[in-house]
């Protein structure tokens, strides 16, 4: 039961409406024309669309404001948003229906992968939601989202708009995952749901993309990943052209039959997206009336009264369920006791920190602790910048480690996913600082068993602090499922019983309070010789007592091996999966003991890579631009032929990353990061080569078609094409067919690449292809975008279709070779 959802919608299955653009095209909306402008030009037609869905049974109507942001509509955006809400309210009034303030993507990829600053995204969404709330919308619907950071920006903007207006409306977020359950930016369903739960949204949905049948697995995954209500609004399949007319092949009867199956899984709401009509919704309404459906049940937190699902943390594209097995938190991005790390922070040597991050994840760290606390360091700026940079090269979740509330909020606000927050304690001032931030942005909170009186010397003393922290967190609506308690590791050199107290506290926290636990392992051995031996024995004992997470040095293979072995032997490594992955193919195990030995091994590996030329390959593969520049300069200074450097290291690295991306092992952020490193290396090489005329066969004009202002996909393709030696003439977005042709003729381009995200703009794509083929015969046209598939591309006479950026590059390369 979700009280917030049911207080607003009631306990029954909620029926949403269907596609707006589909019906407006039937009413005469031209290809490339902005649908939102009809709120002013033809309000009666918009109201009639709403009424058609209401007559079909819909009880939530979505405003005609999908693109009502200033990036799309300029200064007209707020007025068109208000007009859209007013029209929907007028239509809904006679049916007792709710009006959803609708908002889609801004069409630009947020930094650091794109050009959209995070706070600019928040500002644009905030302006849109302010207008919709002022006009009287009943709820906020953020839909068709494909990027984790943009989704985060939209939710933060919605929350801040509601707070500013003194309103408490539901916030629903609907996303478009591919059939493998990934967003465009690589985030999985579990991690995305965890982030949205932490941000406090009311419900999570899936929309657009494909027909219901193709998205069944994604629905099941989402239902298992969250305790929040789930809703579903799929397409009536992807569009096809029949007798020159764009249609959606999933018939209303088939759509309703599949939606009935989805409703039976336990979703709270159903409706439609592109291609669905009032007839689709009418038949869905008939199919779900009086049906029995699965009632999802979840544990309820006794203090907050909130239901809770699995405890999941997430990063850029990776997620971890902390209920499944104990995890390793890498400790090396912390200046305490690390001279080189301190130097890197003072000198703002980001590449050093990225290398440390990569080394830890390569060694087996599941989470990375990020701590930048030093005197005379701007911790607020530095923590934000370093955590953002680390997320560009590591998929894993991060632990934001700071005692500065402003630094924590700055970093967590633009964090891609749901982090661990380190930390809070029993001190009232600390709890009053950290808990509001955690309640607003979400995160699993590390709780130290200490208070104003210091660290209790007994198990019961630490337990008492833990109880107070749990109660205080509940006052902020944070359930104990989102808390992880640090039992505190003290050195046995000064107190031989210190380890026993810590281990006893772990056992009591698990047994009595049923909470997760963690330790900073290395303190136990401070002041004693062969510290790695004591650390590894201690962590094994802690795992036996129920430890959930260990902060340790993953480059110390002795402690790492002992940890994984203890987890496996305790029965918490299902099927010995993690253990076998780590050690199943090793004929013999060499253990490094201590930071010095591990660091020397890593240094030796790096030096060897530098000497053999593999350093450039690895720098590009891992996306470390600074290293890529250093290695390519060193090779050129030794007299190596610049073209040989490209052929032997640079192109193979790009090829490997591209292959990994196409196989689903690497995701968009890493692809772009590697492309950035390659671009930096290319620039050094270019300066070493004599000027040459670009190859005409590798010239390509790129454009997002007329009426479409979403250029995320186009920009990704542009970056990759440039790194593969193509000359790209980028015309931007909302480009007319005539402008595309003019650029082809002016630059004597051999290829054209066209992108479209909206179903209302694919007609403009067809017109552009026809004009290019007529006036510039021999020029090949490749198309791509979320609303396209190979069949549709062929039907509009495109020469090629790129399902993703790498396939587009492969096709263009093939054309050059032909």
């Amino acid at each position: 039961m979700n009280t917030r959802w049911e207080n607003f919608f009631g306990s029954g299955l909620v029926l949403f409406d269907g596609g707006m653009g589909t019906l407006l095209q039937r009413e005469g909306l031209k290809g490339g024309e902005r649908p939102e402008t009809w709120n002013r030009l033809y309000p009666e037609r918009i109201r009639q669309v709403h009424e058609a869905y209401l007559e079909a049974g819909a009880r939530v109507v979505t405003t005609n404001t999908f693109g009502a942001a200033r990036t799309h509509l300029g200064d007209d955006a707020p007025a068109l948003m208000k007009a859209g809400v007013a029209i929907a309210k007028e239509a809904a009034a006679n049916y007792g229906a709710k009006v959803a303030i609708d908002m889609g993507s801004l069409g630009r990829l947020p930094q650091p992968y794109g050009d959209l600053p995070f706070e600019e995204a928040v500002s644009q969404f905030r302006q849109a939601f302010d207008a919709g709330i002022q006009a009287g919308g009943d709820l906020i619907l953020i839909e068709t989202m494909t990027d984790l950071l943009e989704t985060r920006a939209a939710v933060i903007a919605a929350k801040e708009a509601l707070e500013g207006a003194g309103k408490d409306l539901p916030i629903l977020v609907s996303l478009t995952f591919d059939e493998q359950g990934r967003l465009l930016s690589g985030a999985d369903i579990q991690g995305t749901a965890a982030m949205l739960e932490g941000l406090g949204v009311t419900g999570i949905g899936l929309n657009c993309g494909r027909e219901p049948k193709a998205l069944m697995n994604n629905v099941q995954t989402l239902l298992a990943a969250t305790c929040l209500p789930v809703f579903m609004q799929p397409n009536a399949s992807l569009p096809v052209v029949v007798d020159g007319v764009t249609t959606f092949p999933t018939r209303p009867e088939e759509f309703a039959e599949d939606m009935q199956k989805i409703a039976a899984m336990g979703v709270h709401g159903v409706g439609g997206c592109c291609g669905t009509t009032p007839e689709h919704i009418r038949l869905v309404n008939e199919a779900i009336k009086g049906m029995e459906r699965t009632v999802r049940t979840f544990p309820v937190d006794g203090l907050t009264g909130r239901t809770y699902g699995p405890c999941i943390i997430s990063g850029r594209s990776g997620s971890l369920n902390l209920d499944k097995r104990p995890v390793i938190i890498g400790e090396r991005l912390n200046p305490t006791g690390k001279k080189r790390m301190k130097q890197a922070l003072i000198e703002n040597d980001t590449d050093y920190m990225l290398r440390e991050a990569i080394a830890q994840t390569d060694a087996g760290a599941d989470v990375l602790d990020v701590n930048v606390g030093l005197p005379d360091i701007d911790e607020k700026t530095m923590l934000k910048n370093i955590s953002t940079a680390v997320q560009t090269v590591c998929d894993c979740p991060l632990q934001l480690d700071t005692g500065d509330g402003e630094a924590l909020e700055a970093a967590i606000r633009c964090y891609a996913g749901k982090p661990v927050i380190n930390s809070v304690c029993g001190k009232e001032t600390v709890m009053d600082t950290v808990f509001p931030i955690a309640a607003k942005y979400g995160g699993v909170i590390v709780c130290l068993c200490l208070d104003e009186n210091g660290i209790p010397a007994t198990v019961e003393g630490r337990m008492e602090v833990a109880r107070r922290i749990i109660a205080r967190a509940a006052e902020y609506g944070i359930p104990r499922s989102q808390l992880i308690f640090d039992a505190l590791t003290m050195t046995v050199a000064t107190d031989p019983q210190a380890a026993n107290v810590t281990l006893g506290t772990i056992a009591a926290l698990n047994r009595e309070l049923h909470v997760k636990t963690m330790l900073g392992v290395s303190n136990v051995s401070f002041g004693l010789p062969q510290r790695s031996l004591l650390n590894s024995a201690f962590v094994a004992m802690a795992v036996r007592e129920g430890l959930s997470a260990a902060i340790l040095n993953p480059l110390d293979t002795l402690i790492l091996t002992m940890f994984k072995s203890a987890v496996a032997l305790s029965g918490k490594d299902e099927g010995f999966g993690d253990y076998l992955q780590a050690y199943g193919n090793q004929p013999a195990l060499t253990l490094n003991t201590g930071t010095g030995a591990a660091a020397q091994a890593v240094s030796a590996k790096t030096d060897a890579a530098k000497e053999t030329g593999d350093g450039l390959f690895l720098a590009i593969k891992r996306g470390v631009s600074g290293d890529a520049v250093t290695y390519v300069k060193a090779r050129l200074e030794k007299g190596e032929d610049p073209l040989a450097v490209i052929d032997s290291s640079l192109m193979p690295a790009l090829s490997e990353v591209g292959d990994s991306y196409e196989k689903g092992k690497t995701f968009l952020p890493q692809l772009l990061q590697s492309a950035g490193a390659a671009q930096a290396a290319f620039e050094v090489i270019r300066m070493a080569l004599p000027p040459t005329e670009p190859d005409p066969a590798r010239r390509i004009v790129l454009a997002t078609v007329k009426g479409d202002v979403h250029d995320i996909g186009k920009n990704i393709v542009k970056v990759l094409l440039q790194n593969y030696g193509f000359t790209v003439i980028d015309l931007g977005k909302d480009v007319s067919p005539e402008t595309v042709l003019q650029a082809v003729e002016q630059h004597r381009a051999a290829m054209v690449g066209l992108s479209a995200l909206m179903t209302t703009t694919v007609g403009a794509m067809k017109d552009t292809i026809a004009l290019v083929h007529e006036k510039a015969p021999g020029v090949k046209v490749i198309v791509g975008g979320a609303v396209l598939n190979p069949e549709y591309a062929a039907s509009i006479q495109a020469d090629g279709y790129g399902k993703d950026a790498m396939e587009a590059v492969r096709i263009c390369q093939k054309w050059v070779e032909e």
Side-chain angles (χ1 to χ4, degrees):
M1 172 178 166
N2 185 283
T3 304
R4 183 177 174 83
W5 175 283
E6 294 189 356
N7 283 348
F8 185 81
F9 289 112
S11 58
L13 192 61
V14 181
L15 184 60
F16 292 78
D17 58 7
M20 172 65 72
T22 304
L23 269 64
L24 294 187
Q25 285 179 310
R26 294 181 181 181
E27 291 291 322
L29 181 73
K30 298 176 183 177
E33 189 176 6
R34 292 297 310 180
E36 296 82 8
T37 61
W38 277 34
N39 294 339
R40 179 182 291 158
L41 297 173
Y42 309 110
E44 184 64 21
R45 297 186 193 181
I46 303 300
R47 185 177 62 79
Q48 288 171 357
V49 171
H50 289 317
E51 289 178 343
Y53 282 118
L54 290 163
E55 287 289 340
R59 287 301 170 261
V60 177
V61 289
T62 306
T63 57
N64 179 38
T65 57
F66 178 83
R70 61 176 179 263
T71 193
H72 302 321
L73 300 170
D75 293 339
D76 284 343
L80 291 172
M81 169 63 83
K82 290 178 180 178
V85 173
I87 296 166
K89 282 178 64 67
E90 181 184 353
N94 296 327
Y95 295 86
K98 307 288 188 182
V99 172
I101 302 166
D102 187 50
M103 194 70 232
S105 169
L106 299 177
R108 295 164 60 191
L109 203 61
Q111 293 174 347
Y113 311 112
D115 65 347
L116 179 64
F118 183 81
E119 291 302 333
E120 170 64 16
V122 174
S123 173
Q124 290 212 32
F125 283 124
R126 172 70 187 269
Q127 183 185 51
F129 294 136
D130 281 341
I133 293 166
Q134 290 168 17
D138 298 312
L139 67 143
I140 289 174
L141 175 61
I142 300 163
E143 59 144 314
T144 323
M145 303 303 287
T146 61
D147 179 79
L148 202 63
L149 269 178
E150 186 182 22
T151 304
R152 189 176 188 89
V155 175
I156 289 171
K159 292 177 68 174
E160 293 178 348
L162 289 171
E163 183 180 2
K167 299 279 189 178
D168 184 24
L169 306 182
I171 299 173
L172 308 185
V173 179
S174 190
L175 306 112
T176 303
F177 293 90
D178 63 23
E179 290 177 77
Q180 285 69 50
R182 295 280 179 175
L183 294 178
L184 173 68
S185 55
D188 60 18
I189 291 174
Q190 295 91 333
T192 304
M195 181 188 80
L196 293 172
E197 271 191 15
L199 286 168
V201 306
T202 309
I204 305 175
L206 305 175
N207 83 290
C208 206
R210 294 292 302 275
E211 68 277 9
K213 198 183 304 291
L215 300 178
M216 294 283 189
N217 288 339
N218 285 352
V219 178
Q220 291 175 330
T221 301
L222 180 57
L223 287 168
T226 181
C227 64
L228 291 179
V230 169
F231 60 100
M232 179 71 170
Q233 294 181 273
N235 281 1
S237 195
L238 290 171
V240 297
V241 174
V242 179
D243 297 329
V245 178
T246 300
T247 61
F248 293 82
T250 304
R251 295 175 294 103
E253 296 81 5
E254 181 185 358
F255 187 88
E257 181 180 346
D258 288 337
M259 291 303 288
Q260 183 184 52
K261 295 175 184 176
I262 288 173
M265 294 179 184
V267 302
H268 282 67
V270 292
C273 198
C274 302
T276 56
T277 66
E279 181 64 7
H280 287 81
I281 300 304
R282 184 183 70 79
L283 292 183
V284 170
N285 188 35
E286 292 180 2
I288 64 176
K289 278 182 180 177
M291 67 172 289
E292 292 186 8
R293 61 191 182 95
T294 300
V295 178
R296 300 160 66 217
T297 59
F298 298 93
V300 178
D301 181 74
L303 292 177
T304 64
R306 288 177 54 183
T307 57
Y308 60 91
C311 183
I312 296 172
I313 56 174
S314 61
R316 182 188 72 195
S317 55
S319 61
L320 280 173
N321 186 339
L322 296 182
D323 297 325
K324 292 289 188 182
R325 64 168 176 85
V327 299
I328 296 168
I329 302 176
E331 68 178 6
R332 293 191 56 75
L333 292 179
N334 186 325
T336 304
K338 302 179 185 70
K339 182 178 179 180
R340 181 64 185 89
M341 179 68 178
K342 290 179 181 178
Q343 178 187 353
L345 287 171
I346 292 169
E347 296 175 355
N348 200 22
D349 184 357
T350 302
D351 282 349
Y352 171 80
M353 289 174 270
L354 297 186
R355 288 194 296 272
E356 283 288 335
I358 292 167
Q360 290 185 93
T361 54
D362 283 354
D366 301 300
V367 182
L368 296 179
D369 181 81
V370 181
N371 183 315
V372 300
L374 277 180
D376 302 323
I377 286 281
D378 179 357
E379 190 172 356
K380 178 179 177 180
T381 300
M382 186 66 76
L383 184 62
K384 174 186 172 182
N385 291 347
I386 296 304
S387 58
T388 297
V390 170
Q391 285 206 290
T392 65
V393 297
C394 295
D395 295 333
C396 67
L398 302 184
Q399 176 170 276
L400 303 177
D401 187 354
T402 179
D404 185 322
E406 290 186 359
L408 173 61
E409 182 160 18
I412 198 173
R413 184 174 172 88
C414 59
Y415 175 85
K418 179 184 175 185
V420 180
I421 298 170
N422 191 6
S423 59
V424 75
C425 67
K427 295 179 180 179
E428 290 294 325
T429 55
V430 175
M431 290 190 284
D432 288 341
T433 297
V434 175
F435 282 147
I437 296 171
K440 179 175 181 178
Y441 297 106
V444 171
I445 309 162
V446 176
C447 305
L448 309 180
C449 294
L450 62 86
D451 58 14
E452 288 85 354
N453 298 315
I455 300 173
T458 65
V459 171
E460 185 49 43
R462 296 182 193 186
M463 290 291 289
E464 179 56 33
V465 174
R467 292 186 185 96
R468 285 193 282 110
I469 291 174
I470 291 171
R472 198 79 170 88
E475 295 177 16
Y476 290 92
I478 301 170
R480 72 179 68 201
S481 63
Q482 301 304 302
L483 308 178
I484 182 167
F485 283 84
D486 188 337
L488 300 173
T489 305
M490 308 302 292
T491 177
V492 294
T494 56
D495 180 3
Q497 292 303 312
N500 288 331
V501 173
T502 299
L503 295 171
T505 304
I506 293 173
L509 286 166
N510 279 282
R511 182 179 62 251
E512 298 177 30
L513 299 183
H514 309 291
V515 292
K516 295 171 183 64
T517 55
M518 76 156 36
L519 286 179
V521 174
S522 60
N523 283 350
V524 74
S525 63
F526 187 79
L528 293 170
Q530 298 295 330
R531 295 182 64 190
S532 187
L533 300 177
L534 292 171
N535 293 345
S536 58
F538 181 55
V539 78
M541 296 168 73
V543 168
R544 181 67 182 85
E545 296 296 343
L547 188 69
S548 306
I551 303 176
L552 52 81
N553 175 16
L555 302 181
D556 182 335
T557 54
L558 176 60
I559 189 172
L560 180 72
T561 304
M562 189 65 76
F563 176 86
K564 289 181 178 293
S565 300
V567 171
L569 290 171
S570 67
K572 297 175 182 176
D573 181 7
E574 186 176 351
F576 280 72
D578 189 48
Y579 180 85
L580 291 174
Q581 182 178 357
Y583 308 118
N585 295 320
Q586 290 193 16
L589 192 61
T590 301
L591 301 179
N592 292 317
T593 59
T595 302
Q600 289 170 12
V602 172
S603 178
K605 180 179 178 181
T606 302
D607 290 342
K610 187 174 181 180
E611 288 300 317
T612 61
D614 289 341
L616 177 58
F617 180 94
L618 289 174
I620 293 171
K621 181 180 175 182
R622 291 169 170 173
V624 184
S625 298
D627 283 0
V629 169
T630 298
Y631 290 141
V632 78
K633 284 182 176 178
R635 291 173 64 175
L636 294 178
E637 287 171 2
K638 289 180 180 179
E640 192 168 347
D641 178 35
L643 296 179
V645 174
I646 293 175
D647 291 340
S648 64
S649 295
L650 205 150
M651 293 309 296
L654 277 177
S655 180
E656 182 166 317
V657 173
D659 289 343
S660 180
Y661 173 76
E662 290 178 323
K663 292 173 182 176
K665 296 178 180 178
T666 297
F667 304 105
L668 178 61
Q670 182 58 49
L671 185 68
L672 293 178
Q673 191 72 11
S674 295
Q679 185 66 33
F682 263 128
E683 185 61 24
V684 174
I685 292 172
R686 186 184 67 79
M687 298 297 291
L689 291 170
T692 58
E693 181 68 23
D695 182 358
R698 302 184 77 86
R699 289 191 191 128
I700 181 168
V701 171
L702 292 185
T704 299
V705 298
K706 184 170 179 58
D708 204 318
V709 291
H710 299 83
D711 61 356
I712 292 175
K714 172 187 67 64
N715 291 343
I716 294 167
V717 172
K718 174 185 175 181
V719 170
L720 294 182
L721 284 170
Q722 287 175 330
N723 280 293
Y724 278 81
F726 286 84
T727 301
V728 178
I729 300 95
D730 183 5
L731 302 182
K733 53 196 176 184
D734 191 15
V735 182
S736 70
E738 294 76 17
T739 302
V740 172
L741 177 64
Q742 182 180 7
V744 169
E745 294 174 338
Q746 177 183 345
H747 297 278
R748 300 193 305 278
M751 291 167 276
V752 171
L754 301 176
S755 174
L757 177 70
M758 302 166 63
T759 56
T760 55
T761 61
V762 291
M765 180 176 281
K766 179 183 177 182
D767 294 342
T768 305
I769 294 170
L771 183 63
V772 170
H773 282 168
E774 177 188 356
K775 300 294 185 180
V779 173
K780 292 185 178 294
V781 182
I782 183 171
V783 299
V787 295
L788 302 177
N789 58 21
E791 294 75 22
Y792 188 83
S795 71
I796 59 176
Q797 307 304 310
D799 300 294
Y801 162 75
K803 67 179 176 62
D804 56 39
M806 275 311 306
E807 183 171 316
V809 172
R810 305 279 195 232
I811 290 171
C812 291
Q813 281 186 306
K814 181 181 177 182
W815 286 345
V816 170
E817 293 166 1
E818 291 174 348

